[in-house]
Each structure stands twice: as structure tokens, then as C-alpha cells.
């Protein structure tokens, strides 16, 4: 039997494409040097989040009762969405690209694994631990090799590290919330639209206060539009597809591909140089992806009989979702929750959750 099913493979592919798109944000930001980290973060995920909600309106209407029943979960995820881009870009601004990227991205899969272990009592497999270790090591080598700028003050470095930890934790948190909503019978588009749309709305006041430099020139506006539409809107659309098929801990580990993509673009587009440690980091990240590709279906610790695994452990979906047809013609529509609840003997979903 294949180690990974076709739906798991689609999820992995979607998240890898997402990581590639996210990896372009650092290079894109260099074309708008006058914009601060708060403006860039608020524009990228604020506008992108609202667009997620816009394409999910039909699904949001259908799932309003289910979402209302889990309003606290939606609010938790939306708050994490709002905090993440502000913390991530501020971390890079204060501590430097190396520290900000390493701490933010490398801490996310670890935080995700801890969330699953504590909140769901879900054991983490040795495959995932090996992949996470390799990913963190590779990201550290890669980002440290690119640290060629002036040294930051001790206070700025400490603040950058702290904000990077906040970014990693909030990224893991909203990934877990979206996956949890889908486990409760809320469709993919409705889960993503509710969490990211509400989070995007929370970022609008920040954008209003800090976004003036993005309108100062056509180039800065183009950068903001690109980041909102491509890495954030399209990227998170694909991220939602991936989360419907793989565990959040696996998803966040796969997105450690992002610093590798960012490094290559920095060399090719921006003109930065990559040291031997950087190229070694790229190879280590590639090894982490090979581990995930070869791992059994329980790479994120998903084992038969673990808490929250089978259909009986999930909250019953809203009746309106059960009555829904299997294929919705609306963009971003989902299959019925009942299809998502089908679990194979190996503990892996047998039907896609899109």
C-alpha cells in the first residue's frame, strides 16, 4: 500500500506552492523601501484576508450556524491572523532578516506540534520530529548565512527574537484553528473565509494609520497589491486546501521551504550572495522535505485510536452542511462534512475536504 494517499499528496503540493509564493514577499518588499513593517503586514494580510472572505461568501452563509456555534474558535484564529504579519515583519525590521526569519519560521512547526500534543493529546511521530529538526537546522544555516547587514542593538535583537516567537506561535495557532473548524464540520472555504476575513478586518485600522507610504508611488502601490493578491490571497487559498488534507504540524513544517525560496530569489533578483553555510542549509531543508515525502500517513503523529481521530470524536456538522450537495458550483466551495469524516483504517482521511 502507498505510504501517502492521493489526497495527502495534493495537500503537500498545495502547501509547497504556498511556501514558494510566501518566499517572494521579502524580495517584493525591497521594491517599497519607504513602507514600514506594520504597513506591509497590514496591507498584505488585511486585504488578502478580506478577499478570502469575499470568495467564501456563499459558504459563509451556508455555514453561519456552525460558525456561530464556534464563534470563540473563529475569534481566536482571527486574532492570531491579525497579530502574525505585524509581528513577523516587525521582527525582521528590528532583529534583521536572519533573526526574524529564523525565529518566526523555525518556531512555527514546533509551536504547531506542541499545540496538537497539548490541546488534542495527539502523539508526534519520530518522522515529524526528524523533519522538524532538519527544517529548523536548515533554516538557521540559511538565514544566518544571509546576515550581512549592520548588527542590531541588543535591545532591538531581543525585541526581534520576541516578536519572531510571537509570529511563529500565532502562525501555528491560526493554522490549528482552521484545521479544527474543518474537523467540527465547517467547510474549508467557510473556515478560511471566517478566520482570515475577520482577521483582515482587524488589520484595517492599522493599514489606515500606517499605509500612506504605500500610496506614495505607483511602484509602492504595485508592491502592496502584489503581496495582497498573490502571496497572501492566492497563497492562503492554497494553504486552506492543504490544511484540509494534512495535519497543521505537517503543514507548518512544509512551509520551512519558504526561506529557501527567499534565499534563491535574493541571490538571483536582489544580488545577495549565499555562503557555503547557506547552500548547506538549502540541502538540509531539501532533506526535511524528503523525510516528509517518505513518511507514513501518520507523519504528524496521526495514529489509529488517538483522541480526535475518528468520526465519532468530531462534533456533528450543521444540518445545513449535511444537506449540501457533494459538489458546489460556487468558487472555493466544499464537499459535505460527512465526506471529510471518512477515515481509513490507517487513520488518514480518505476524501478531500475542499
Amino acid at each position: 500500500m502507498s505510504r501517502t494517499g492521493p489526497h495527502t499528496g495534493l495537500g503537500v503540493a498545495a502547501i509547497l506552492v504556498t511556501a514558494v509564493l510566501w518566499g517572494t514577499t521579502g524580495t517584493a518588499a525591497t521594491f517599497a523601501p519607504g513602507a514600514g513593517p506594520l504597513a506591509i503586514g497590514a496591507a498584505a494580510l488585511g486585504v488578502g484576508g478580506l478577499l478570502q472572505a469575499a470568495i467564501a461568501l456563499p459558504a459563509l452563509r451556508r455555514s453561519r450556524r456552525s460558525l456561530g456555534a464556534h464563534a470563540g474558535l473563529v475569534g481566536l484564529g482571527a486574532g492570531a491572523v491579525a497579530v502574525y504579519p505585524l509581528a513577523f515583519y516587525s521582527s525582521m525590521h528590528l532583529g534583521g532578516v536572519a533573526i526574524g526569519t529564523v525565529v518566526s519560521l523555525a518556531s512555527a512547526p514546533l509551536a504547531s506540534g506542541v499545540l496538537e500534543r497539548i490541546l488534542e493529546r495527539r502523539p508526534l511521530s519520530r518522522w515529524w520530529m526528524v523533519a522538524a529538526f532538519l527544517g529548523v537546522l536548515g533554516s538557521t544555516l540559511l538565514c544566518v548565512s544571509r546576515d550581512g547587514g549592520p548588527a542590531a542593538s541588543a535591545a532591538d535583537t531581543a525585541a526581534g527574537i520576541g516578536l519572531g516567537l510571537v509570529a511563529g506561535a500565532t502562525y501555528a495557532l491560526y493554522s490549528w484553528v482552521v484545521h479544527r473548524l474543518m474537523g467540527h464540520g465547517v467547510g474549508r472555504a467557510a473556515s478560511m473565509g471566517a478566520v482570515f476575513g475577520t482577521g483582515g478586518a482587524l488589520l484595517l485600522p492599522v493599514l489606515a494609520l500606517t499605509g500612506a507610504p504605500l500610496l506614495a508611488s505607483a511602484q509602492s502601490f504595485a508592491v502592496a497589491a502584489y503581496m495582497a493578491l498573490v502571496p497572501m490571497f492566492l497563497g492562503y487559498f492554497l494553504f486552506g486546501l492543504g490544511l484540509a488534507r494534512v495535519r497543521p504540524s505537517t503543514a507548518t513544517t512544509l512551509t520551512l521551504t519558504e526561506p529557501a525560496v527567499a534565499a534563491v530569489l535574493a541571490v538571483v533578483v536582489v544580488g545577495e550572495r549565499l555562503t557555503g553555510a547557506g547552500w548547506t542549509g538549502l540541502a538540509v531543508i531539501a532533506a526535511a522535505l524528503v523525510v516528509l515525502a517518505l513518511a507514513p500517513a501518520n507523519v504528524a503523529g496521526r495514529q489509529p485510536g488517538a483522541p480526535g481521530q475518528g468520526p465519532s470524536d468530531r462534533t456533528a456538522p450543521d444540518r445545513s452542511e449535511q444537506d449540501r450537495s457533494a459538489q458546489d458550483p460556487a468558487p472555493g466551495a466544499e464537499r459535505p462534512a460527512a465526506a471529510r469524516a471518512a477515515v481509513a483504517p490507517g487513520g488518514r482521511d480518505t476524501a478531500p475536504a475542499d
Side-chain angles (χ1 to χ4, degrees), residues 176-347:
W176 179 83
V177 165
V178 170
H179 191 88
R180 190 70 173 174
L181 285 171
M182 287 189 277
H184 282 307
V186 181
R188 175 192 53 79
S191 298
M192 292 292 292
V195 171
F196 282 85
T198 307
L202 294 176
L203 285 168
L204 290 183
V206 179
L207 180 59
L209 291 173
T210 63
L214 295 174
L215 302 176
S217 68
Q219 179 170 305
S220 295
F221 180 80
V223 168
Y226 167 79
M227 294 181 71
L229 294 173
V230 181
M232 297 300 116
F233 171 61
L234 178 57
Y236 277 103
F237 177 80
L238 294 173
F239 189 65
L241 292 177
L243 277 178
R245 292 163 168 83
V246 300
R247 295 296 309 169
S249 54
T250 301
T252 51
T253 303
L254 286 167
T255 54
L256 286 171
T257 311
E258 178 183 347
V261 174
V264 172
L265 287 176
V267 171
V268 175
V269 179
V270 182
E272 292 186 5
R273 300 187 63 182
L274 204 58
T275 65
W279 291 112
T280 302
L282 284 175
V284 173
I285 290 174
L289 297 178
V290 170
V291 169
L292 287 177
L294 297 178
N298 68 341
V299 65
R302 192 169 191 172
Q303 299 174 356
Q309 291 284 318
S312 60
D313 291 324
R314 298 184 179 180
T315 302
D318 194 331
R319 173 61 57 185
S320 63
E321 299 215 5
Q322 290 178 322
D323 294 340
R324 210 161 59 214
S325 62
Q327 182 65 41
D328 193 308
E334 307 82 25
R335 297 185 178 214
R340 289 194 307 275
V343 178

Side-chain angles (χ1 to χ4, degrees), residues 7-286:
H7 302 311
T8 302
L10 288 174
V12 169
I15 291 172
L16 287 177
V17 173
T18 297
V20 171
L21 295 179
W22 287 350
T24 66
T25 58
T27 298
T30 63
F31 292 95
L38 297 183
I40 292 175
L45 205 44
V47 176
L50 292 177
L51 288 175
Q52 287 285 348
I55 66 166
L57 280 176
L60 288 170
R61 284 195 295 265
R62 287 192 302 269
S63 302
R64 59 186 179 275
R65 284 189 291 174
S66 295
L67 290 170
H70 302 290
L73 200 57
V74 172
L76 180 64
V81 166
V83 171
Y84 168 73
L86 306 182
F88 177 59
Y89 288 102
S90 295
S91 175
M92 289 191 293
H93 177 74
L94 291 173
V97 172
I99 290 176
T101 305
V102 166
V103 176
S104 300
L105 297 181
S107 63
L110 303 180
S112 183
V114 170
L115 277 174
E116 290 183 14
R117 186 70 184 93
I118 294 176
L119 299 180
E120 300 181 15
R121 295 175 298 177
R122 189 183 300 275
L124 297 171
S125 75
R126 284 172 292 187
W127 289 85
W128 178 86
M129 292 179 185
V130 170
F133 171 77
L134 290 175
V136 171
L137 176 61
S139 296
T140 302
L141 289 172
L142 179 60
C143 295
V144 168
S145 75
R146 298 175 61 205
D147 188 15
S153 69
D156 284 348
T157 300
I161 291 173
L163 287 169
L165 291 173
V166 171
T170 50
Y171 170 35
L173 181 58
Y174 69 66
S175 301
W176 179 83
V177 165
V178 170
H179 191 88
R180 190 70 173 174
L181 285 171
M182 287 189 277
H184 282 307
V186 181
R188 175 192 53 79
S191 298
M192 292 292 292
V195 171
F196 282 85
T198 307
L202 294 176
L203 285 168
L204 290 183
V206 179
L207 180 59
L209 291 173
T210 63
L214 295 174
L215 302 176
S217 68
Q219 179 170 305
S220 295
F221 180 80
V223 168
Y226 167 79
M227 294 181 71
L229 294 173
V230 181
M232 297 300 116
F233 171 61
L234 178 57
Y236 277 103
F237 177 80
L238 294 173
F239 189 65
L241 292 177
L243 277 178
R245 292 163 168 83
V246 300
R247 295 296 309 169
S249 54
T250 301
T252 51
T253 303
L254 286 167
T255 54
L256 286 171
T257 311
E258 178 183 347
V261 174
V264 172
L265 287 176
V267 171
V268 175
V269 179
V270 182
E272 292 186 5
R273 300 187 63 182
L274 204 58
T275 65
W279 291 112
T280 302
L282 284 175
V284 173
I285 290 174

